[in-house]
């Protein structure tokens, strides 16, 4: 083979060697299918993410083992956290980790904190819509706040258990707008959406992915988004800050594993999730279509983010009076 031909083939040869090396490394610790535990019920934002990840991994052939999503809802995630924490050292289990991953232990509802898990990666940030039914008398955020001031604790809002992420947002909104709502907890964002559509809630804070189908069907109206800036995919929705309400709250979408899994497993999964995050299918079918903010972080970066967010949640929950 001529020198020029060898130089041309070198990148392809290196890529093949890396691929084979990765597959070989995976074979050392991946000996059975991966159980991907979703801490929330079917239909919520975490379930949507987990099943999309499963589809991308299968389509892109990113893992030599199959990935099966299993919903273990209940207790604000406590059931799923205890289940996965009990698999210490076993790399065949993944867990969806959002803000409840931090708030549930802070409430004393789970003895397992983020310190009892291995951070694998963060994949996105999720925002929250302030949402009402399309036939609601509230046409704007101003309408909603004005009525809430007239009728303290009469406007029914809700979300995934109390006080979870939705409750934190509700508290921040109450504090900044000088109002008080009647918060009703549900097992998942999907259930809360059903309650909203059925007239059992007056407003609710879904992730974009939980609201898009109903928005497209013209069953709900978005009054505002609790984000730092307007969403690129939904530029018509004002932020709460634009409306004079100083609230912005994003939810992380991370993946955890049991504590003490092999270091080679962590490295392998970091690369797997990086490939997933960079794939066109993920960016187009999940990030863009569900109006999320793309954000890949490796294991160490994700753990540091958990530490920082845990401090923030602790401050807010102490302010709410739910923890000391």
């Amino acid at each position: 083979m001529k020198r020029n031909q060898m130089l041309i083939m070198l990148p392809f040869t290196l890529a093949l060697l890396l691929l084979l090396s990765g597959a070989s490394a995976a074979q050392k610790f991946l000996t059975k299918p991966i159980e991907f535990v979703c801490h929330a019920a079917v239909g919520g934002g975490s379930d949507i993410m987990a099943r999309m990840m499963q589809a991308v991994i299968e389509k892109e052939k990113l893992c030599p083992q199959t990935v099966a999503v299993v919903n273990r809802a209940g207790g604000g995630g406590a059931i799923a956290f205890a289940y996965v924490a009990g698999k210490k050292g076993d790399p065949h289990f993944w867990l969806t980790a959002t803000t409840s991953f931090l708030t549930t232990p802070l409430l004393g509802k789970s003895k397992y904190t983020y310190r009892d898990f291995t951070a694998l990666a963060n994949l996105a940030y999720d925002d929250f819509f302030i949402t009402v039914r399309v036939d609601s008398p509230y046409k704007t955020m101003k309408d909603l706040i004005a009525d809430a001031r007239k009728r303290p604790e009469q406007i029914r809002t809700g979300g995934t258990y109390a006080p979870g992420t939705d409750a934190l947002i509700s508290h921040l909104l109450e504090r900044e707008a000088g109002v008080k709502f009647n918060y009703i907890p549900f097992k998942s964002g999907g259930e809360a959406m059903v309650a909203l559509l059925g007239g059992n809630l007056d407003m609710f804070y879904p992730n974009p992915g939980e609201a898009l189908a109903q928005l497209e069907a013209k069953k709900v109206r978005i009054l505002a988004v609790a984000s730092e800036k307007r969403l690129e995919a939904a530029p018509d929705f004002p932020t709460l800050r634009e409306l004079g309400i100083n609230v912005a709250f994003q939810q992380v979408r991370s993946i955890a594993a049991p504590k003490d899994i092999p270091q080679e497993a962590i490295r392998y999964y970091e690369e797997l999730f990086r490939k997933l995050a960079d794939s066109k299918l993920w960016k187009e079918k999940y990030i863009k279509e569900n109006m999320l903010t793309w954000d890949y972080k490796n294991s160490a970066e994700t753990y540091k983010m958990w530490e920082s967010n845990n401090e923030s949640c602790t401050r807010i929950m102490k302010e709410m009076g739910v923890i000391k």
Side-chain angles (χ1 to χ4, degrees), residues 36 49 53 94-97 118-123 253-257 273 302 306:
F36 192 175
M49 181 189 76
M53 287 177 63
W94 297 344
L95 171 70
T96 52
T118 299
L120 294 182
N122 190 67
L123 295 171
R253 291 216 170 271
S254 306
I255 307 300
F273 292 129
T302 299
W306 289 352

Side-chain angles (χ1 to χ4, degrees), residues 268-309:
Y268 178 79
Y269 287 146
E270 281 182 322
E271 182 64 12
L272 185 156
F273 292 129
R274 186 192 63 76
K275 290 177 181 177
L276 179 145
D278 287 338
S279 72
K280 182 179 179 181
L281 183 60
W282 177 255
K283 290 180 177 179
E284 291 291 328
K285 288 296 182 180
Y286 181 66
I287 298 296
K288 185 177 180 179
E289 290 190 7
N290 291 285
M291 299 186 193
L292 277 84
T293 301
W294 185 97
D295 179 78
Y296 171 80
K297 286 181 171 62
N298 64 24
S299 175
E301 293 167 337
T302 299
Y303 192 83
K304 287 181 181 178
M305 179 187 66
W306 289 352
E307 288 182 318
S308 176
N309 286 1

Side-chain angles (χ1 to χ4, degrees), residues 220-236:
V220 299
R221 177 184 301 123
I222 308 301
L223 302 184
V225 57
S227 59
E228 295 285 350
K229 58 183 181 180
R230 293 197 182 201
L231 302 184
E232 185 177 336
D236 294 334

